[in-house]
Amino acid sequence: MFSLNMPPDPKEMAAIEARRNREKERQKRVFDVRTRVIGVDVGALNSQVEERKLREATERSKEEAYGTSQVQYDLVAQMLEKEEAERTRRLAKKVQDFREQKQQLKNRREFDLWDPNQLWKGFPALHSNSDPYCGPASMQCFSGEDVEKATCLRMQQEQFRCSLEKQIQERQQARIDEMCIDDLHDKLRLAMETRATQLAKLEESCRISMRCAMANANKAQAAEVAERRHYEHQREQEVNLKEIQNQIKSDLLSERPQVTHYLGAPCQVLPHSWKGMTAEQRAVIKKAQEAQRREKEARRQAERARDTEWESQAKCLAQAAMELEEQERELCAEFRRGLGSFNQQLASEQKAQQNYLNSVIYTNQPTAQYHLQFNTSSR
């Protein structure tokens, strides 16, 4: 017989406990209405999308800034390379010009040592075509023979002396030229300072004369303006005086009614000379106003009679409306009483039906334990 009281396997118990924990977590996610959106955490996904967009935008801005700075650095490097190449070219040109002008091959002291025509110059010159010492096949130069060595040494010393004197003269001339240039610079600076002082004085004198001329012009202009104002004021006074005299002598201030009509058309009135209405005209206007007043009074009485008739009709209509409302209220009360009796009958029938269901059909009532067995798993 085998013993059935064996201890449980730890691995199997750990796996069962892990499955239970996962099931509990799943139930929390599934049964929680706030966080359940078709099994996906929308908030977390939206936050991840926003973080990714922000990271991409940051990287894009960094790349754009790096590209802009790189372009600027490239432009600066190209400018520096061009400037360096131009500086190198100018320096090489200056060196080549100096070599061509000051370092010619024939002017060097050691030119006679590696002169390409030295061997040809080393042959002794013949005294005549009939030299008794040299035959037709005789040699003209032998090893170790130097006929004009003393002359060559003298010429080299003379050339070295001339070269040294030339360098001394060039150095003295350069020093003299430099002193002349400094002297010219000093004279030019002094002349410029003198010229600037003269120009400043001339400018100050021109400014003073301009101010005096402007002041004189302003004075003349002010005098002219004052004279013109005085003349205009005098002319205005004369014009006003003439106008006053014309108004006094004209028909504007007179009381004669004949001046308000045209000479050829007495019915037409001059607007600028009209002196008012006559007594006959005022009487005609008053008579017309009295007729208008009587007409308006008759119209007001007719309107008052019409308003009275409308008010009586409105009272009759209101009485009829009140009677109709009373009849409507009676009908509504009767309808509500019939509806209440019908509802009572229907309620009694439904109560009898419910009692029949509870006492005959639904005899086994479900308990709370019956409802708790549903919706307990997330699968």
Side-chain angles (χ1 to χ4, degrees):
M1 295 297 293
F2 295 99
S3 178
L4 298 177
N5 296 326
M6 296 179 64
D9 191 2
K11 293 183 179 180
E12 185 176 358
M13 294 298 294
I16 293 171
E17 188 64 26
R19 285 197 297 270
R20 288 178 179 173
N21 294 332
R22 286 196 298 270
E23 181 64 23
K24 289 181 181 178
E25 292 178 358
R26 180 178 174 82
Q27 289 179 3
K28 289 181 180 179
R29 291 196 304 269
V30 171
F31 294 134
D32 192 359
V33 183
R34 292 185 178 180
T35 60
R36 184 181 71 243
V37 184
I38 315 176
V40 178
D41 192 357
V42 180
L45 294 178
N46 292 332
S47 63
Q48 291 177 2
V49 172
E50 293 295 333
E51 290 177 358
R52 188 184 65 184
K53 289 183 179 180
L54 181 61
R55 185 170 59 255
E56 291 177 355
T58 305
E59 293 178 356
R60 194 181 303 108
S61 61
K62 287 183 180 180
E63 291 177 358
E64 290 177 356
Y66 178 75
T68 305
S69 61
Q70 191 69 25
V71 170
Q72 294 178 357
Y73 294 156
D74 292 341
L75 292 175
V76 173
Q78 291 178 4
M79 293 173 61
L80 292 176
E81 289 178 358
K82 289 182 180 179
E83 186 177 356
E84 186 66 25
E86 184 67 21
R87 190 185 299 109
T88 304
R89 187 186 64 79
R90 290 199 300 268
L91 182 60
K93 187 175 183 302
K94 288 182 180 179
V95 172
Q96 186 64 26
D97 294 341
F98 179 78
R99 287 176 178 175
E100 291 178 356
Q101 295 176 5
K102 304 296 182 180
Q103 295 182 353
Q104 295 182 0
L105 190 62
K106 61 182 180 180
N107 295 332
R108 295 186 180 181
R109 293 181 295 178
E110 62 273 9
F111 177 72
D112 56 346
L113 299 178
W114 44 275
D115 188 4
N117 298 324
Q118 182 180 7
L119 297 178
W120 292 100
K121 294 178 181 179
F123 289 107
L126 296 176
H127 298 285
S128 63
N129 294 330
S130 59
D131 192 354
Y133 297 101
C134 298
S138 300
M139 297 174 54
Q140 295 182 0
C141 183
F142 296 94
S143 177
E145 184 180 5
D146 190 3
V147 181
E148 299 179 354
K149 182 177 181 181
T151 305
C152 184
L153 290 175
R154 189 165 54 255
M155 290 177 63
Q156 289 180 358
Q157 292 177 359
E158 185 68 21
Q159 185 179 4
F160 178 74
R161 186 178 61 79
C162 292
S163 164
L164 184 60
E165 290 178 355
K166 186 177 180 181
Q167 291 180 2
I168 293 172
Q169 291 178 1
E170 289 178 354
R171 188 173 297 175
Q172 292 177 356
Q173 187 65 32
R175 190 180 295 108
I176 293 171
D177 293 341
E178 185 177 358
M179 292 175 65
C180 291
I181 291 171
D182 294 339
D183 191 11
L184 289 175
H185 285 171
D186 295 337
K187 291 180 179 180
L188 180 61
R189 186 172 60 256
L190 182 61
M192 290 177 65
E193 291 177 356
T194 306
R195 182 62 177 172
T197 306
Q198 293 177 358
L199 290 176
K201 292 180 180 179
L202 182 60
E203 184 178 1
E204 184 66 23
S205 62
C206 291
R207 190 182 294 108
I208 293 172
S209 60
M210 188 181 298
R211 289 177 181 174
C212 293
M214 189 177 295
N216 295 330
N218 291 334
K219 290 179 180 179
Q221 189 175 4
E224 184 179 358
V225 170
E227 185 178 359
R228 186 170 61 253
R229 288 180 178 176
H230 178 69
Y231 175 73
E232 290 178 357
H233 179 69
Q234 186 177 1
R235 187 177 60 182
E236 186 178 358
Q237 292 294 333
E238 293 177 358
V239 171
N240 293 334
L241 182 60
K242 288 181 180 180
E243 186 177 358
I244 292 171
Q245 292 177 359
N246 292 330
Q247 291 292 336
I248 293 172
K249 295 178 181 179
S250 65
D251 296 333
L252 181 62
L253 300 178
S254 64
E255 296 296 335
R256 293 181 301 153
Q258 291 80 11
V259 298
T260 61
H261 299 282
Y262 286 100
L263 296 177
C267 297
Q268 296 183 3
V269 180
L270 295 174
H272 63 277
S273 300
W274 190 63
K275 304 299 180 179
M277 295 185 296
T278 60
E280 292 81 4
Q281 292 175 350
R282 287 195 291 271
V284 172
I285 292 174
K286 287 181 179 180
K287 186 177 180 180
Q289 289 178 352
E290 186 66 24
Q292 291 177 0
R293 186 184 62 79
R294 287 195 297 270
E295 184 180 356
K296 188 174 182 181
E297 184 66 25
R299 190 167 55 251
R300 189 181 296 111
Q301 290 178 1
E303 290 179 355
R304 192 179 297 112
R306 188 170 56 253
D307 294 340
T308 305
E309 184 178 358
W310 275 107
E311 288 177 0
S312 62
Q313 291 182 3
K315 289 180 180 179
C316 294
L317 292 174
Q319 187 67 25
M322 291 176 64
E323 293 177 357
L324 291 175
E325 288 179 358
E326 186 66 25
Q327 293 178 4
E328 186 178 359
R329 283 196 294 272
E330 292 177 358
L331 292 174
C332 289
E334 185 177 357
F335 176 75
R336 281 196 295 273
R337 285 193 296 272
L339 183 61
S341 62
F342 177 76
N343 289 334
Q344 288 178 2
Q345 183 180 358
L346 184 61
S348 61
E349 292 178 358
Q350 289 179 357
K351 187 175 180 181
Q353 182 70 18
Q354 188 66 32
N355 292 331
Y356 173 75
L357 291 175
N358 293 332
S359 61
V360 177
I361 296 176
Y362 301 137
T363 57
N364 189 9
Q365 294 292 334
T367 60
Q369 189 67 27
Y370 173 77
H371 293 288
L372 291 175
Q373 67 179 348
F374 300 103
N375 200 15
T376 58
S377 176
S378 62
R379 301 293 178 182

